[in-house]
Amino acid sequence: MSGNAGRHTSVWEVCAMLGVPEQDRNLMAQWAAELRERRTHDALDFYVDVMIADRCGHPTDDLLSELISTGVAGLDLTADEIRLAVTAMLALAVKAESTTPKS
């Protein structure tokens, strides 16, 4: 996720890139840590759906708006694919945080 060798992107950094408001990042981090639970996954999907709907009408300068407007490699993404991408980014950040030695 990061261009810096040996450095991993945190859940908070993923949230910032996606345009998640700062006041919601703790909640997003909690959901990311509990993705194996169906209820948590459903809550995250709902939250991302609301963000997608908002960005469709009011694009901003964030990764979510970019995924909506340009897709990947010129291919449009469905809402399901965007939700999957967001979930994957968060899961990877959680995994990186859990395997990175603390300084």
Coordinates of all heavy atoms in Angstrom, one line a residue:
M1 N 0.8 -1.2 0.0 CA 0.0 0.0 0.0 C 0.8 1.2 0.0 O 0.4 2.3 -0.4 CB -0.9 0.0 1.2 CG -2.1 -0.7 1.0 SD -3.3 -0.3 2.3 CE -3.5 -1.8 3.0
S2 N 2.0 1.2 0.5 CA 2.9 2.3 0.6 C 4.1 2.1 -0.3 O 4.5 1.0 -0.5 CB 3.4 2.5 2.1 OG 4.3 3.5 2.2
G3 N 4.6 3.2 -0.8 CA 5.7 3.2 -1.7 C 7.0 3.1 -0.9 O 8.1 2.9 -1.5
N4 N 7.0 3.2 0.4 CA 8.1 3.1 1.3 C 8.4 1.7 1.6 O 7.6 1.1 2.3 CB 8.0 4.0 2.5 CG 7.7 5.4 2.2 OD1 8.2 6.0 1.2 ND2 7.0 6.1 3.1
A5 N 9.6 1.2 1.2 CA 9.9 -0.2 1.5 C 10.0 -0.4 3.1 O 10.6 0.4 3.8 CB 11.3 -0.6 0.9
G6 N 9.4 -1.5 3.5 CA 9.4 -1.8 5.0 C 8.4 -1.0 5.8 O 8.3 -1.2 7.0
R7 N 7.7 -0.1 5.2 CA 6.7 0.7 6.0 C 5.3 0.3 5.5 O 5.1 0.2 4.4 CB 6.9 2.2 5.7 CG 6.0 3.1 6.5 CD 6.1 4.5 6.1 NE 5.1 5.3 6.8 CZ 3.8 5.4 6.5 NH1 3.4 4.7 5.6 NH2 3.0 6.1 7.2
H8 N 4.5 0.1 6.5 CA 3.1 -0.4 6.2 C 2.1 0.8 6.5 O 2.4 1.6 7.4 CB 2.7 -1.6 7.1 CG 3.6 -2.7 6.9 ND1 3.6 -3.5 5.7 CD2 4.6 -3.2 7.6 CE1 4.5 -4.5 5.8 NE2 5.1 -4.3 7.0
T9 N 1.1 0.8 5.8 CA 0.0 1.8 5.9 C -0.9 1.4 7.0 O -1.4 0.3 7.1 CB -0.7 2.0 4.6 OG1 0.2 2.3 3.6 CG2 -1.7 3.1 4.7
S10 N -1.2 2.3 8.0 CA -2.1 2.0 9.1 C -3.5 2.1 8.7 O -3.9 2.7 7.6 CB -1.8 3.0 10.2 OG -2.3 4.3 9.9
V11 N -4.4 1.6 9.5 CA -5.8 1.8 9.3 C -6.2 3.2 9.2 O -7.0 3.6 8.3 CB -6.6 1.0 10.4 CG1 -8.1 1.3 10.3 CG2 -6.4 -0.5 10.3
W12 N -5.7 4.0 10.1 CA -6.0 5.5 10.1 C -5.5 6.1 8.8 O -6.2 7.0 8.2 CB -5.3 6.2 11.3 CG -6.3 6.2 12.4 CD1 -6.7 5.2 13.2 CD2 -6.9 7.4 13.0 NE1 -7.6 5.6 14.1 CE2 -7.7 7.0 14.1 CE3 -6.8 8.7 12.7 CZ2 -8.5 7.8 14.8 CZ3 -7.6 9.6 13.5 CH2 -8.4 9.2 14.5
E13 N -4.4 5.7 8.2 CA -3.9 6.3 7.0 C -4.8 5.8 5.8 O -5.1 6.6 4.9 CB -2.5 5.8 6.7 CG -1.5 6.5 7.6 CD -0.1 5.9 7.6 OE1 0.0 4.7 7.5 OE2 0.9 6.7 7.6
V14 N -5.3 4.6 5.8 CA -6.2 4.1 4.8 C -7.5 4.9 4.9 O -8.0 5.4 3.9 CB -6.5 2.6 5.0 CG1 -7.7 2.2 4.1 CG2 -5.3 1.8 4.7
C15 N -8.0 5.1 6.1 CA -9.2 5.9 6.3 C -9.0 7.4 5.7 O -9.9 7.9 5.1 CB -9.6 6.0 7.8 SG -10.2 4.5 8.4
A16 N -7.8 7.9 6.0 CA -7.6 9.3 5.5 C -7.5 9.3 4.0 O -8.1 10.2 3.3 CB -6.2 9.8 6.0
M17 N -6.9 8.3 3.4 CA -6.8 8.2 1.9 C -8.2 8.1 1.3 O -8.5 8.6 0.2 CB -6.0 7.0 1.5 CG -4.5 7.2 1.7 SD -3.5 5.9 1.0 CE -3.9 4.5 1.9
L18 N -9.1 7.3 2.0 CA -10.5 7.1 1.5 C -11.4 8.3 1.7 O -12.5 8.3 1.2 CB -11.1 5.8 2.1 CG -10.4 4.5 1.7 CD1 -10.9 3.4 2.6 CD2 -10.8 4.2 0.3
G19 N -11.0 9.2 2.6 CA -11.8 10.3 2.9 C -12.8 10.1 4.0 O -13.8 10.8 4.2
V20 N -12.5 9.1 4.9 CA -13.3 8.9 6.1 C -13.1 10.1 7.0 O -12.0 10.4 7.3 CB -12.9 7.6 6.8 CG1 -13.7 7.4 8.1 CG2 -13.2 6.4 5.8
P21 N -14.2 10.7 7.5 CA -14.0 11.8 8.4 C -13.3 11.4 9.7 O -13.4 10.2 10.1 CB -15.5 12.2 8.8 CG -16.3 11.7 7.6 CD -15.6 10.4 7.2
E22 N -12.4 12.3 10.2 CA -11.6 11.9 11.3 C -12.4 11.4 12.5 O -12.0 10.5 13.2 CB -10.8 13.2 11.7 CG -9.6 12.8 12.6 CD -8.6 13.9 12.8 OE1 -8.4 14.7 11.8 OE2 -8.1 14.0 13.9
Q23 N -13.6 12.0 12.7 CA -14.4 11.5 13.9 C -14.9 10.1 13.7 O -15.3 9.5 14.7 CB -15.5 12.5 14.2 CG -16.6 12.5 13.1 CD -16.4 13.6 12.0 OE1 -15.3 14.1 11.9 NE2 -17.5 13.9 11.3
D24 N -14.9 9.5 12.5 CA -15.3 8.2 12.3 C -14.2 7.1 12.2 O -14.4 5.9 12.1 CB -16.1 8.1 11.0 CG -17.5 8.8 11.1 OD1 -17.9 9.1 12.3 OD2 -18.0 9.1 10.1
R25 N -13.0 7.6 12.3 CA -11.8 6.7 12.1 C -11.6 5.6 13.2 O -11.2 4.5 12.9 CB -10.5 7.5 11.8 CG -10.6 8.2 10.5 CD -9.4 9.0 10.2 NE -9.7 9.9 9.0 CZ -8.9 10.8 8.6 NH1 -7.8 11.1 9.2 NH2 -9.3 11.6 7.6
N26 N -11.9 6.0 14.4 CA -11.9 5.0 15.5 C -12.9 3.9 15.3 O -12.6 2.7 15.4 CB -12.1 5.6 16.9 CG -10.8 6.3 17.4 OD1 -9.7 5.9 17.0 ND2 -11.0 7.3 18.2
L27 N -14.1 4.3 14.9 CA -15.1 3.3 14.6 C -14.7 2.4 13.4 O -14.8 1.2 13.4 CB -16.4 4.0 14.2 CG -17.6 3.1 13.9 CD1 -17.9 2.1 15.0 CD2 -18.8 3.9 13.5
M28 N -14.2 3.0 12.4 CA -13.7 2.3 11.2 C -12.6 1.3 11.6 O -12.5 0.2 11.1 CB -13.2 3.2 10.1 CG -12.9 2.6 8.8 SD -14.3 2.0 7.9 CE -14.9 3.5 7.2
A29 N -11.7 1.7 12.4 CA -10.6 0.9 12.9 C -11.1 -0.3 13.7 O -10.7 -1.4 13.6 CB -9.6 1.7 13.7
Q30 N -12.2 -0.1 14.5 CA -12.8 -1.1 15.3 C -13.4 -2.1 14.3 O -13.3 -3.4 14.5 CB -13.9 -0.6 16.2 CG -14.6 -1.6 17.0 CD -15.7 -1.0 17.9 OE1 -15.7 0.2 18.1 NE2 -16.6 -1.8 18.4
W31 N -14.2 -1.7 13.3 CA -14.8 -2.5 12.3 C -13.7 -3.3 11.6 O -13.9 -4.5 11.4 CB -15.6 -1.8 11.3 CG -16.9 -1.2 11.9 CD1 -17.6 -1.7 12.9 CD2 -17.7 -0.2 11.3 NE1 -18.7 -1.0 13.1 CE2 -18.8 0.0 12.1 CE3 -17.5 0.7 10.2 CZ2 -19.8 0.9 11.9 CZ3 -18.5 1.6 10.0 CH2 -19.6 1.8 10.8
A32 N -12.6 -2.7 11.2 CA -11.6 -3.3 10.5 C -11.0 -4.5 11.3 O -10.6 -5.5 10.7 CB -10.5 -2.3 10.1
A33 N -10.9 -4.3 12.6 CA -10.3 -5.3 13.5 C -11.2 -6.5 13.7 O -10.8 -7.6 14.1 CB -9.9 -4.7 14.8
E34 N -12.5 -6.3 13.4 CA -13.5 -7.3 13.6 C -14.2 -7.7 12.3 O -15.4 -8.2 12.4 CB -14.6 -6.7 14.6 CG -14.0 -6.3 16.0 CD -15.0 -5.6 16.8 OE1 -16.2 -5.3 16.3 OE2 -14.7 -5.3 18.0
L35 N -13.5 -7.7 11.2 CA -14.2 -8.0 9.9 C -14.7 -9.4 9.8 O -15.5 -9.7 9.0 CB -13.2 -7.8 8.8 CG -13.0 -6.3 8.4 CD1 -11.9 -6.2 7.4 CD2 -14.3 -5.8 7.9
R36 N -14.2 -10.3 10.6 CA -14.7 -11.7 10.5 C -16.1 -11.9 11.1 O -16.8 -12.9 10.8 CB -13.8 -12.7 11.3 CG -12.5 -12.7 10.6 CD -11.5 -13.6 11.4 NE -10.2 -13.5 10.8 CZ -9.3 -14.4 10.6 NH1 -9.7 -15.6 11.0 NH2 -8.2 -14.2 10.1
E37 N -16.6 -10.9 11.8 CA -18.0 -11.0 12.3 C -18.9 -10.4 11.3 O -18.8 -9.3 10.7 CB -18.1 -10.2 13.6 CG -17.2 -10.7 14.7 CD -17.4 -10.0 16.0 OE1 -18.4 -9.4 16.3 OE2 -16.4 -10.0 16.8
R38 N -20.0 -11.1 10.9 CA -20.9 -10.8 9.9 C -21.6 -9.4 10.2 O -21.7 -8.6 9.3 CB -22.0 -11.9 9.8 CG -23.1 -11.6 8.8 CD -22.5 -12.0 7.4 NE -22.6 -10.8 6.5 CZ -21.9 -10.6 5.4 NH1 -21.1 -11.5 5.0 NH2 -22.1 -9.6 4.7
R39 N -22.0 -9.2 11.4 CA -22.6 -7.9 11.8 C -21.7 -6.7 11.5 O -22.1 -5.7 11.0 CB -23.1 -8.0 13.2 CG -24.1 -6.9 13.6 CD -24.7 -7.1 14.9 NE -23.6 -6.7 15.9 CZ -23.8 -6.8 17.2 NH1 -24.9 -7.3 17.7 NH2 -22.8 -6.4 18.0
T40 N -20.4 -6.9 11.9 CA -19.4 -5.9 11.7 C -19.3 -5.6 10.2 O -19.2 -4.5 9.7 CB -18.1 -6.2 12.3 OG1 -18.3 -6.4 13.7 CG2 -17.0 -5.2 12.1
H41 N -19.2 -6.7 9.4 CA -19.0 -6.6 8.0 C -20.2 -5.8 7.4 O -20.0 -5.0 6.5 CB -18.8 -8.0 7.4 CG -18.0 -8.0 6.1 ND1 -18.5 -7.5 4.9 CD2 -16.8 -8.5 5.9 CE1 -17.6 -7.7 4.0 NE2 -16.5 -8.2 4.6
D42 N -21.4 -6.1 7.8 CA -22.6 -5.5 7.3 C -22.6 -4.0 7.6 O -22.9 -3.2 6.8 CB -23.8 -6.1 7.9 CG -24.1 -7.5 7.3 OD1 -23.5 -7.9 6.3 OD2 -24.9 -8.2 8.0
A43 N -22.1 -3.6 8.9 CA -22.1 -2.2 9.3 C -21.1 -1.5 8.4 O -21.3 -0.4 8.0 CB -21.7 -2.1 10.7
L44 N -19.9 -2.1 8.2 CA -18.9 -1.5 7.3 C -19.4 -1.3 5.9 O -19.3 -0.2 5.3 CB -17.6 -2.3 7.3 CG -16.5 -1.8 6.3 CD1 -16.0 -0.4 6.7 CD2 -15.4 -2.8 6.3
D45 N -20.1 -2.3 5.3 CA -20.7 -2.2 4.0 C -21.7 -1.1 3.9 O -21.7 -0.3 3.0 CB -21.3 -3.5 3.6 CG -20.3 -4.6 3.2 OD1 -19.1 -4.3 3.0 OD2 -20.8 -5.7 3.0
F46 N -22.5 -0.9 4.9 CA -23.5 0.1 4.9 C -22.8 1.5 5.0 O -23.2 2.4 4.2 CB -24.5 0.0 6.1 CG -25.5 1.1 6.2 CD1 -26.6 1.1 5.4 CD2 -25.3 2.1 7.1 CE1 -27.5 2.1 5.5 CE2 -26.2 3.1 7.2 CZ -27.4 3.1 6.4
Y47 N -21.8 1.6 5.8 CA -21.1 2.9 5.9 C -20.5 3.3 4.6 O -20.5 4.4 4.1 CB -20.0 2.8 7.0 CG -19.3 4.1 7.3 CD1 -19.7 4.9 8.3 CD2 -18.2 4.5 6.5 CE1 -19.1 6.2 8.5 CE2 -17.5 5.7 6.7 CZ -18.0 6.5 7.7 OH -17.4 7.7 8.0
V48 N -19.8 2.3 3.9 CA -19.2 2.5 2.6 C -20.2 2.9 1.6 O -20.0 3.8 0.8 CB -18.3 1.3 2.2 CG1 -17.8 1.5 0.8 CG2 -17.1 1.2 3.2
D49 N -21.4 2.2 1.6 CA -22.5 2.6 0.7 C -22.9 4.0 0.8 O -23.1 4.7 -0.2 CB -23.7 1.7 0.9 CG -23.5 0.3 0.3 OD1 -22.6 0.1 -0.5 OD2 -24.3 -0.6 0.7
V50 N -23.0 4.5 2.1 CA -23.3 5.9 2.3 C -22.3 6.8 1.8 O -22.5 7.8 1.1 CB -23.6 6.2 3.8 CG1 -23.8 7.6 4.1 CG2 -24.8 5.4 4.3
M51 N -21.0 6.4 2.0 CA -19.9 7.3 1.5 C -19.9 7.3 -0.1 O -19.7 8.3 -0.7 CB -18.5 6.7 1.9 CG -18.2 7.0 3.4 SD -16.6 6.5 3.9 CE -15.6 7.6 2.8
I52 N -20.2 6.1 -0.7 CA -20.2 6.0 -2.2 C -21.3 7.0 -2.7 O -21.1 7.8 -3.6 CB -20.5 4.6 -2.6 CG1 -19.2 3.8 -2.4 CG2 -20.8 4.6 -4.1 CD1 -19.4 2.3 -2.6
A53 N -22.5 6.9 -2.1 CA -23.6 7.7 -2.5 C -23.3 9.2 -2.4 O -23.6 10.0 -3.3 CB -24.9 7.4 -1.7
D54 N -22.7 9.6 -1.3 CA -22.3 10.9 -1.1 C -21.2 11.4 -2.1 O -21.4 12.5 -2.7 CB -21.7 11.1 0.4 CG -21.3 12.6 0.6 OD1 -22.1 13.4 0.6 OD2 -20.0 12.8 0.8
R55 N -20.2 10.6 -2.4 CA -19.2 10.9 -3.3 C -19.7 11.0 -4.8 O -19.2 11.7 -5.6 CB -18.0 10.0 -3.3 CG -17.2 10.0 -2.0 CD -16.7 11.4 -1.6 NE -15.8 11.3 -0.5 CZ -16.1 11.1 0.7 NH1 -17.3 10.8 1.1 NH2 -15.1 11.1 1.6
C56 N -20.7 10.2 -5.1 CA -21.3 10.3 -6.4 C -21.9 11.7 -6.7 O -21.8 12.2 -7.8 CB -22.4 9.2 -6.6 SG -21.7 7.5 -6.8
G57 N -22.5 12.3 -5.7 CA -23.1 13.6 -5.8 C -22.1 14.7 -5.5 O -22.3 15.8 -6.0
H58 N -21.1 14.4 -4.6 CA -20.2 15.4 -4.2 C -18.8 14.9 -4.1 O -18.3 14.6 -3.0 CB -20.6 16.0 -2.8 CG -22.0 16.5 -2.7 ND1 -23.0 15.7 -2.3 CD2 -22.5 17.7 -3.1 CE1 -24.1 16.4 -2.4 NE2 -23.8 17.6 -2.8
P59 N -18.1 14.7 -5.3 CA -16.8 14.1 -5.3 C -15.8 15.0 -4.5 O -16.0 16.2 -4.5 CB -16.4 14.0 -6.8 CG -17.6 14.5 -7.5 CD -18.6 15.0 -6.6
T60 N -14.8 14.4 -3.9 CA -13.8 15.1 -3.2 C -12.4 14.6 -3.7 O -12.4 13.8 -4.6 CB -13.9 14.9 -1.7 OG1 -13.8 13.5 -1.4 CG2 -15.2 15.4 -1.1
D61 N -11.4 15.1 -3.1 CA -10.0 14.7 -3.5 C -9.6 13.6 -2.7 O -8.7 13.8 -1.8 CB -9.1 15.9 -3.4 CG -7.7 15.6 -4.0 OD1 -7.6 14.7 -4.8 OD2 -6.8 16.3 -3.6
D62 N -10.2 12.4 -2.8 CA -9.8 11.2 -2.0 C -9.8 10.0 -2.9 O -10.3 10.0 -4.0 CB -10.7 11.1 -0.8 CG -12.1 10.9 -1.1 OD1 -12.5 10.3 -2.1 OD2 -13.0 11.5 -0.3
L63 N -9.3 8.9 -2.3 CA -9.2 7.6 -3.1 C -10.6 7.1 -3.4 O -10.8 6.6 -4.5 CB -8.4 6.6 -2.3 CG -8.2 5.3 -2.9 CD1 -7.6 5.4 -4.3 CD2 -7.4 4.4 -2.0
L64 N -11.6 7.2 -2.5 CA -12.9 6.7 -2.8 C -13.5 7.4 -4.0 O -14.0 6.8 -4.9 CB -13.8 6.8 -1.6 CG -15.2 6.2 -1.8 CD1 -15.1 4.7 -2.0 CD2 -16.0 6.5 -0.5
S65 N -13.4 8.7 -4.1 CA -13.9 9.5 -5.3 C -13.2 9.1 -6.5 O -13.8 8.9 -7.6 CB -13.7 11.0 -5.0 OG -14.6 11.4 -4.0
E66 N -11.9 8.8 -6.4 CA -11.1 8.4 -7.6 C -11.6 7.0 -8.1 O -11.7 6.8 -9.3 CB -9.6 8.3 -7.3 CG -8.8 8.1 -8.5 CD -7.3 8.2 -8.2 OE1 -6.9 9.0 -7.3 OE2 -6.5 7.5 -8.8
L67 N -11.8 6.1 -7.1 CA -12.3 4.7 -7.5 C -13.6 4.8 -8.2 O -13.9 4.1 -9.2 CB -12.4 3.8 -6.3 CG -11.1 3.3 -5.7 CD1 -11.3 2.6 -4.4 CD2 -10.3 2.4 -6.7
I68 N -14.5 5.7 -7.7 CA -15.8 5.9 -8.3 C -15.7 6.5 -9.7 O -16.3 6.0 -10.7 CB -16.7 6.8 -7.4 CG1 -17.0 6.0 -6.1 CG2 -18.0 7.2 -8.1 CD1 -17.6 6.9 -5.0
S69 N -14.9 7.5 -9.9 CA -14.8 8.3 -11.1 C -14.0 7.6 -12.2 O -14.3 7.6 -13.4 CB -14.4 9.7 -10.9 OG -13.0 9.7 -10.5
T70 N -12.9 6.9 -11.8 CA -12.0 6.4 -12.8 C -11.9 4.9 -12.8 O -11.3 4.3 -13.7 CB -10.6 7.0 -12.7 OG1 -10.0 6.6 -11.4 CG2 -10.6 8.5 -12.9
G71 N -12.3 4.2 -11.7 CA -12.2 2.8 -11.6 C -10.8 2.3 -11.5 O -10.0 3.0 -10.9
V72 N -10.5 1.2 -12.0 CA -9.2 0.6 -12.0 C -8.8 0.2 -13.4 O -9.6 -0.4 -14.1 CB -9.2 -0.7 -11.1 CG1 -7.8 -1.3 -11.1 CG2 -9.5 -0.3 -9.6
A73 N -7.7 0.7 -13.8 CA -7.2 0.4 -15.2 C -8.2 0.8 -16.2 O -8.4 0.1 -17.2 CB -6.8 -1.0 -15.3
G74 N -8.9 1.9 -16.0 CA -9.9 2.4 -16.9 C -11.3 1.6 -16.9 O -12.1 1.9 -17.7
L75 N -11.4 0.6 -16.1 CA -12.6 -0.1 -16.0 C -13.5 0.4 -14.8 O -13.0 0.5 -13.7 CB -12.4 -1.6 -15.7 CG -11.6 -2.3 -16.9 CD1 -11.2 -3.8 -16.5 CD2 -12.3 -2.3 -18.2
D76 N -14.7 0.7 -15.1 CA -15.6 1.1 -14.0 C -15.8 0.0 -13.0 O -15.7 -1.2 -13.3 CB -17.0 1.4 -14.6 CG -17.0 2.7 -15.4 OD1 -16.1 3.5 -15.2 OD2 -17.9 2.9 -16.2
L77 N -16.0 0.4 -11.7 CA -16.2 -0.5 -10.6 C -17.6 -0.4 -10.1 O -18.2 0.7 -10.1 CB -15.3 -0.2 -9.4 CG -13.8 -0.3 -9.7 CD1 -13.0 0.2 -8.5 CD2 -13.4 -1.7 -10.0
T78 N -18.2 -1.6 -9.8 CA -19.6 -1.6 -9.2 C -19.4 -1.2 -7.7 O -18.3 -1.2 -7.1 CB -20.2 -3.0 -9.3 OG1 -19.4 -3.9 -8.5 CG2 -20.3 -3.4 -10.7
A79 N -20.5 -0.9 -7.1 CA -20.5 -0.6 -5.6 C -20.0 -1.8 -4.9 O -19.2 -1.6 -3.9 CB -21.9 -0.2 -5.2
D80 N -20.4 -3.0 -5.3 CA -19.9 -4.2 -4.6 C -18.3 -4.3 -4.7 O -17.7 -4.6 -3.7 CB -20.4 -5.5 -5.3 CG -21.9 -5.7 -4.9 OD1 -22.4 -5.1 -3.9 OD2 -22.6 -6.5 -5.6
E81 N -17.8 -4.0 -5.9 CA -16.3 -4.0 -6.1 C -15.6 -2.9 -5.2 O -14.6 -3.2 -4.7 CB -16.0 -3.9 -7.5 CG -16.4 -5.1 -8.4 CD -16.4 -4.9 -9.9 OE1 -16.6 -3.7 -10.3 OE2 -16.2 -5.9 -10.6
I82 N -16.2 -1.8 -5.1 CA -15.7 -0.7 -4.3 C -15.7 -1.1 -2.8 O -14.7 -1.0 -2.1 CB -16.4 0.6 -4.6 CG1 -16.1 1.1 -6.0 CG2 -15.9 1.7 -3.5 CD1 -16.9 2.3 -6.4
R83 N -16.8 -1.7 -2.4 CA -16.9 -2.1 -1.0 C -15.8 -3.2 -0.7 O -15.2 -3.2 0.3 CB -18.3 -2.7 -0.7 CG -19.3 -1.7 -0.4 CD -20.6 -2.3 0.2 NE -21.1 -3.4 -0.6 CZ -22.0 -3.2 -1.6 NH1 -22.4 -2.0 -1.9 NH2 -22.5 -4.2 -2.2
L84 N -15.6 -4.1 -1.7 CA -14.6 -5.2 -1.5 C -13.2 -4.6 -1.5 O -12.4 -5.0 -0.7 CB -14.7 -6.2 -2.7 CG -13.8 -7.3 -2.7 CD1 -14.0 -8.2 -1.4 CD2 -14.0 -8.2 -3.9
A85 N -13.0 -3.6 -2.3 CA -11.6 -2.9 -2.3 C -11.4 -2.2 -1.0 O -10.3 -2.3 -0.4 CB -11.6 -1.9 -3.4
V86 N -12.4 -1.5 -0.4 CA -12.2 -0.8 0.9 C -12.0 -1.9 2.0 O -11.1 -1.7 2.8 CB -13.5 0.0 1.2 CG1 -13.5 0.5 2.6 CG2 -13.6 1.2 0.2
T87 N -12.8 -2.9 2.0 CA -12.6 -4.0 3.0 C -11.2 -4.6 2.9 O -10.5 -4.8 3.9 CB -13.7 -5.1 2.8 OG1 -15.0 -4.5 3.0 CG2 -13.5 -6.2 3.8
A88 N -10.7 -4.9 1.7 CA -9.4 -5.4 1.5 C -8.3 -4.5 2.0 O -7.4 -5.0 2.6 CB -9.2 -5.8 0.0
M89 N -8.4 -3.2 1.7 CA -7.4 -2.3 2.1 C -7.4 -2.2 3.7 O -6.3 -2.2 4.2 CB -7.7 -0.9 1.6 CG -7.4 -0.7 0.1 SD -7.6 1.0 -0.5 CE -9.3 1.0 -0.9
L90 N -8.5 -2.2 4.3 CA -8.6 -2.2 5.7 C -8.0 -3.4 6.4 O -7.3 -3.4 7.3 CB -10.0 -1.9 6.2 CG -10.6 -0.5 5.9 CD1 -12.1 -0.5 6.2 CD2 -9.8 0.5 6.8
A91 N -8.4 -4.6 5.8 CA -7.9 -5.9 6.3 C -6.4 -5.9 6.2 O -5.7 -6.4 7.1 CB -8.6 -7.0 5.5
L92 N -5.8 -5.5 5.1 CA -4.4 -5.5 4.9 C -3.7 -4.6 5.9 O -2.6 -4.9 6.4 CB -4.0 -5.1 3.4 CG -4.3 -6.2 2.4 CD1 -4.1 -5.6 1.0 CD2 -3.4 -7.4 2.6
A93 N -4.3 -3.4 6.1 CA -3.7 -2.5 7.1 C -3.7 -3.1 8.5 O -2.8 -3.0 9.2 CB -4.5 -1.2 7.1
V94 N -4.8 -3.8 8.9 CA -4.9 -4.4 10.2 C -3.8 -5.5 10.3 O -3.1 -5.6 11.3 CB -6.3 -5.0 10.4 CG1 -6.3 -6.0 11.6 CG2 -7.3 -3.9 10.6
K95 N -3.7 -6.3 9.2 CA -2.7 -7.4 9.2 C -1.3 -6.8 9.4 O -0.5 -7.3 10.1 CB -2.8 -8.2 8.0 CG -1.8 -9.3 7.9 CD -2.0 -10.2 6.7 CE -1.0 -11.3 6.7 NZ -1.1 -12.2 5.6
A96 N -1.0 -5.7 8.6 CA 0.3 -5.1 8.7 C 0.6 -4.5 10.1 O 1.7 -4.7 10.6 CB 0.4 -3.9 7.7
E97 N -0.4 -3.9 10.7 CA -0.3 -3.4 12.0 C 0.0 -4.5 13.1 O 0.8 -4.3 14.0 CB -1.5 -2.6 12.5 CG -1.6 -1.2 11.8 CD -2.9 -0.5 12.1 OE1 -3.8 -1.1 12.8 OE2 -3.0 0.7 11.8
S98 N -0.6 -5.6 12.9 CA -0.5 -6.7 13.8 C 0.9 -7.4 13.7 O 1.3 -8.1 14.6 CB -1.6 -7.7 13.7 OG -1.6 -8.4 12.5
T99 N 1.5 -7.3 12.5 CA 2.8 -8.0 12.3 C 4.0 -7.1 12.3 O 5.1 -7.5 12.3 CB 2.8 -8.7 10.9 OG1 2.5 -7.8 9.9 CG2 1.7 -9.8 10.9
T100 N 3.7 -5.8 12.5 CA 4.8 -4.8 12.5 C 5.3 -4.7 13.9 O 4.5 -4.4 14.8 CB 4.4 -3.4 12.0 OG1 3.9 -3.5 10.7 CG2 5.5 -2.4 12.1
P101 N 6.6 -4.9 14.1 CA 7.2 -4.8 15.5 C 7.0 -3.3 16.0 O 7.2 -2.4 15.3 CB 8.7 -5.1 15.3 CG 8.8 -5.6 14.0 CD 7.6 -5.2 13.2
K102 N 6.7 -3.2 17.3 CA 6.5 -1.9 17.9 C 7.9 -1.3 18.2 O 8.7 -2.1 18.7 CB 5.6 -2.0 19.1 CG 4.3 -2.6 18.9 CD 3.4 -1.6 18.1 CE 2.0 -2.3 17.9 NZ 1.4 -2.0 16.7
S103 N 8.1 0.0 18.0 CA 9.4 0.6 18.3 C 9.4 1.0 19.8 O 8.5 1.4 20.4 CB 9.6 1.9 17.5 OG 9.4 1.6 16.1

